Amino acid sequence: MTETLSLAAYPPEVRDAVARTREVVATLHAELPRWELIVWTAGNVSQRVQVSPDGPSEADLLVIKPSGVTYDQLTPEAMVVCDLDGNLVEGTRSPSSDTAAHAYVYKHLPHVGGVVHTHSTYATAWAARGEEVPCVLTMMADEFGGPIPIGPFALIGDDSIGRGIVDTLSGSRSRAVLMQNHGPFTIGRDAKDAVKAAVMVEEVARTVHISRQLGDLIPIAQSDIDALYARYQNVYGQGDSAPVQTDDTAAALDEETHA
Ligand SMILES: O=C(CO)[C@@H](O)[C@@H](O)COP(=O)(O)O
């Protein structure tokens, strides 16, 4: 944590957005124990706060939980606000130890509005082997557009985890990456979308793990993966749950549209 800035330096509409985001991020942290994605304090959720009406920028802020605080204490007031260089903007406690990773993702992937990190059991077991989860379920094609990739081993404390996340996801349609020997990080158009990806990556990691113990996995043809993913982007649900679009997704959709 470096210099402390003040939220008073930001216009009222940003301060209001921070207050709303505190509520969202505090509420979403309760989803991690609810879906059994964490033990003790081993997980965190953040959401971007855009400071310009023109869209996301490196001047944005993020709201994240304080480090090492149990989830029963994570009220909106307990949340911490930082800029994308990790500077504390508002908060009485130290931000999550993964703040630098979250901030790096927001800085380098402007379409990302939410980031989640857990140590969920099955996804982390795949990370311990440095093995990507192959795309053998239609739900994986829907949600992740392919396999769940592995990111490099990286020590916590600087932006190396964030760099590993961005380098891995920039070449993938997946909204989840398994950082080797560490665990899953997920991204989304907002924090709720990233929490959904965290729930789904643990579900598919468990299913594929169990299936592989019982026999050989059957791959899904790439053309079918592409069709399932494109459908999920355009048809599933009420039209408001389409996952965050990466450059690859946008290109795939463009190809699909003009095929
Ligand atoms: O993975 C790690 C530490 O290795 C962290 O994500 C985990 O302990 C949660 O830390 P925070 O309580 O968010 O600082």
Side-chain angles (χ1 to χ4, degrees):
M1 185 166 59
T2 51
E3 67 184 280
T4 298
L5 306 175
S6 163
L7 199 57
Y10 292 83
E13 56 272 19
V14 173
R15 298 202 296 270
D16 291 345
V18 165
R20 291 193 300 274
T21 306
R22 282 178 173 276
E23 300 275 349
V24 168
V25 173
T27 300
L28 285 171
H29 271 94
E31 296 295 293
L32 303 189
R34 176 186 173 205
W35 294 97
E36 300 182 348
L37 300 180
I38 54 99
V39 292
W40 200 240
T41 64
N44 38 66
V45 179
S46 72
Q47 184 161 294
R48 177 199 298 268
V49 179
Q50 289 186 15
V51 300
S52 163
D54 299 331
S57 76
E58 294 193 10
D60 290 342
L61 303 175
L62 67 86
V63 176
I64 196 166
K65 78 166 197 182
S67 184
V69 177
T70 52
Y71 293 85
D72 57 316
Q73 300 178 60
L74 293 181
T75 61
E77 299 69 34
M79 296 298 109
V80 180
V81 185
C82 293
D83 68 15
L84 300 193
D85 292 315
N87 297 312
L88 185 69
V89 173
E90 186 181 64
T92 56
R93 292 172 162 145
S94 298
S96 166
S97 45
D98 291 300
T99 299
H102 290 235
Y104 190 95
V105 171
Y106 290 128
K107 209 178 230 186
H108 294 84
L109 297 179
H111 61 282
V112 173
V115 179
V116 170
H117 169 48
T118 77
H119 296 89
S120 59
T121 303
Y122 284 88
T124 304
W126 286 86
R129 297 194 308 277
E131 183 179 358
E132 74 173 21
V133 183
C135 186
V136 293
L137 303 173
T138 57
M139 185 164 79
M140 288 187 69
D142 287 349
E143 195 68 43
F144 301 106
I148 311 292
I150 290 286
F153 177 82
L155 286 175
I156 197 167
D158 56 20
D159 63 8
S160 52
I161 292 178
R163 192 178 308 115
I165 296 167
V166 170
D167 291 350
T168 305
L169 290 185
S170 294
S172 165
R173 293 189 300 205
S174 177
R175 288 172 20 258
V177 54
L178 308 179
M179 294 300 283
Q180 184 184 306
N181 301 108
H182 189 171
F185 282 80
T186 62
I187 61 173
R189 65 176 179 281
D190 55 20
K192 181 180 179 183
D193 191 35
V195 167
K196 178 189 175 190
V199 171
M200 302 297 260
V201 71
E202 176 62 9
E203 173 64 10
V204 300
R206 176 172 41 238
T207 304
V208 179
H209 168 81
I210 292 169
S211 173
R212 195 164 70 169
Q213 287 182 318
L214 302 173
D216 296 335
L217 302 169
I218 302 172
I220 300 176
Q222 186 60 50
S223 57
D224 291 332
I225 293 173
D226 295 344
L228 286 161
Y229 187 66
R231 179 202 71 88
Y232 192 75
Q233 295 273 340
N234 295 292
V235 178
Y236 176 74
Q238 305 305 311
D240 60 354
S241 61
V244 64
Q245 292 194 11
T246 62
D247 297 343
D248 296 331
T249 304
L253 279 176
D254 186 56
E255 191 179 309
E256 184 76 18
T257 308
H258 296 90

